[in-house]
Amino acid sequence: MAFPNEKELKKIRKKLRKAEGFLMLDPNADELTRFRFEICQEFLKYAQERRMTAVQMAKMLGIPKADMSRIFNHRLDRFSTDKLIRLYAKIRPEYRLEVA
Protein backbone atom coordinates (compact mmCIF):
# COMPACT_ATOMS: atom_id res chain seq x y z
CA MET A 1 0.00 0.00 0.00
CA ALA A 2 1.49 3.34 -1.08
CA PHE A 3 1.52 6.48 1.04
CA PRO A 4 -1.36 8.82 0.04
CA ASN A 5 -0.54 11.71 -2.29
CA GLU A 6 -0.89 15.33 -1.18
CA LYS A 7 -4.41 15.68 -2.63
CA GLU A 8 -5.63 12.65 -0.67
CA LEU A 9 -3.90 13.90 2.48
CA LYS A 10 -5.67 17.27 2.21
CA LYS A 11 -8.99 15.49 1.84
CA ILE A 12 -8.29 13.33 4.90
CA ARG A 13 -7.14 16.32 6.99
CA LYS A 14 -10.31 18.23 6.10
CA LYS A 15 -12.45 15.29 7.15
CA LEU A 16 -10.57 14.83 10.43
CA ARG A 17 -10.96 18.50 11.43
CA LYS A 18 -14.65 17.80 12.01
CA ALA A 19 -14.15 14.45 13.73
CA GLU A 20 -14.68 14.08 17.43
CA GLY A 21 -12.41 11.60 19.10
CA PHE A 22 -12.14 9.92 22.46
CA LEU A 23 -11.97 12.33 25.39
CA MET A 24 -9.46 11.66 28.14
CA LEU A 25 -10.00 12.33 31.82
CA ASP A 26 -8.46 15.57 33.03
CA PRO A 27 -5.97 14.79 35.82
CA ASN A 28 -7.63 17.56 37.89
CA ALA A 29 -11.18 16.29 37.32
CA ASP A 30 -13.62 16.42 40.21
CA GLU A 31 -15.16 13.30 41.74
CA LEU A 32 -18.38 13.46 39.72
CA THR A 33 -16.47 13.73 36.45
CA ARG A 34 -14.28 10.77 37.48
CA PHE A 35 -17.37 8.75 38.36
CA ARG A 36 -19.00 9.49 34.99
CA PHE A 37 -15.75 8.59 33.20
CA GLU A 38 -15.58 5.28 35.06
CA ILE A 39 -19.13 4.41 34.05
CA CYS A 40 -18.14 4.94 30.41
CA GLN A 41 -15.13 2.72 30.92
CA GLU A 42 -17.45 0.02 32.26
CA PHE A 43 -19.61 0.22 29.13
CA LEU A 44 -16.49 -0.20 27.01
CA LYS A 45 -15.29 -3.19 29.06
CA TYR A 46 -18.70 -4.82 28.86
CA ALA A 47 -18.80 -4.40 25.07
CA GLN A 48 -15.23 -5.67 24.62
CA GLU A 49 -15.76 -8.71 26.85
CA ARG A 50 -18.78 -9.69 24.78
CA ARG A 51 -17.36 -8.52 21.45
CA MET A 52 -20.31 -6.20 20.95
CA THR A 53 -20.39 -3.23 18.60
CA ALA A 54 -21.80 0.17 19.45
CA VAL A 55 -24.84 -0.70 17.35
CA GLN A 56 -25.45 -3.91 19.33
CA MET A 57 -24.96 -2.14 22.67
CA ALA A 58 -27.29 0.68 21.64
CA LYS A 59 -29.98 -1.79 20.64
CA MET A 60 -29.61 -3.68 23.93
CA LEU A 61 -29.84 -0.44 25.95
CA GLY A 62 -32.66 1.00 23.85
CA ILE A 63 -30.77 4.14 22.84
CA PRO A 64 -29.70 5.60 19.48
CA LYS A 65 -26.37 4.41 18.09
CA ALA A 66 -25.11 8.00 18.15
CA ASP A 67 -25.67 8.14 21.91
CA MET A 68 -23.78 4.88 22.41
CA SER A 69 -20.93 6.27 20.36
CA ARG A 70 -20.90 9.39 22.55
CA ILE A 71 -20.71 7.23 25.67
CA PHE A 72 -17.92 5.10 24.22
CA ASN A 73 -15.98 8.28 23.42
CA HIS A 74 -16.67 9.89 26.82
CA ARG A 75 -18.61 12.76 25.28
CA LEU A 76 -21.12 13.08 28.08
CA ASP A 77 -22.41 16.63 27.84
CA ARG A 78 -25.80 15.31 26.65
CA PHE A 79 -26.22 12.81 29.49
CA SER A 80 -27.18 13.34 33.08
CA THR A 81 -25.48 11.22 35.69
CA ASP A 82 -28.87 9.67 36.46
CA LYS A 83 -29.26 8.61 32.82
CA LEU A 84 -25.80 7.01 32.80
CA ILE A 85 -26.57 5.12 36.02
CA ARG A 86 -29.92 3.89 34.64
CA LEU A 87 -28.21 2.65 31.48
CA TYR A 88 -25.43 1.04 33.48
CA ALA A 89 -28.00 -0.78 35.62
CA LYS A 90 -29.25 -2.48 32.44
CA ILE A 91 -25.89 -4.19 31.93
CA ARG A 92 -25.08 -4.65 35.63
CA PRO A 93 -28.41 -5.08 37.45
CA GLU A 94 -26.57 -5.99 40.66
CA TYR A 95 -24.95 -2.53 40.77
CA ARG A 96 -25.76 -0.46 43.85
CA LEU A 97 -24.72 3.14 44.26
CA GLU A 98 -23.71 3.98 47.82
CA VAL A 99 -23.16 7.54 48.92
CA ALA A 100 -21.12 8.15 52.03
Side-chain angles (χ1 to χ4, degrees), residues 1 6-7 9 14 16 23 25-26 29 31 48 50 53 67 72 78 86:
M1 178 178 205
E6 192 57 36
K7 183 179 177 182
L9 286 173
K14 184 178 179 182
L16 287 175
L23 290 180
L25 182 64
D26 183 330
E31 288 299 315
Q48 285 178 337
R50 288 158 183 77
T53 65
D67 282 351
F72 279 174
R78 296 184 185 196
R86 281 194 301 278

Side-chain angles (χ1 to χ4, degrees), residues 1-12:
M1 178 178 205
F3 193 76
N5 63 36
E6 192 57 36
K7 183 179 177 182
E8 291 169 334
L9 286 173
K10 282 182 182 181
K11 192 171 156 180
I12 292 167

Side-chain angles (χ1 to χ4, degrees), residues 36-69:
R36 292 165 54 86
F37 188 89
E38 288 174 16
I39 290 175
C40 290
Q41 291 294 96
E42 290 298 319
F43 281 113
L44 284 166
K45 279 191 235 176
Y46 184 89
Q48 285 178 337
E49 289 168 357
R50 288 158 183 77
R51 299 176 197 254
M52 294 176 74
T53 65
V55 172
Q56 292 167 323
M57 282 286 292
K59 187 174 181 179
M60 184 184 85
L61 294 172
I63 62 174
K65 185 232 176 247
D67 282 351
M68 194 73 247
S69 180

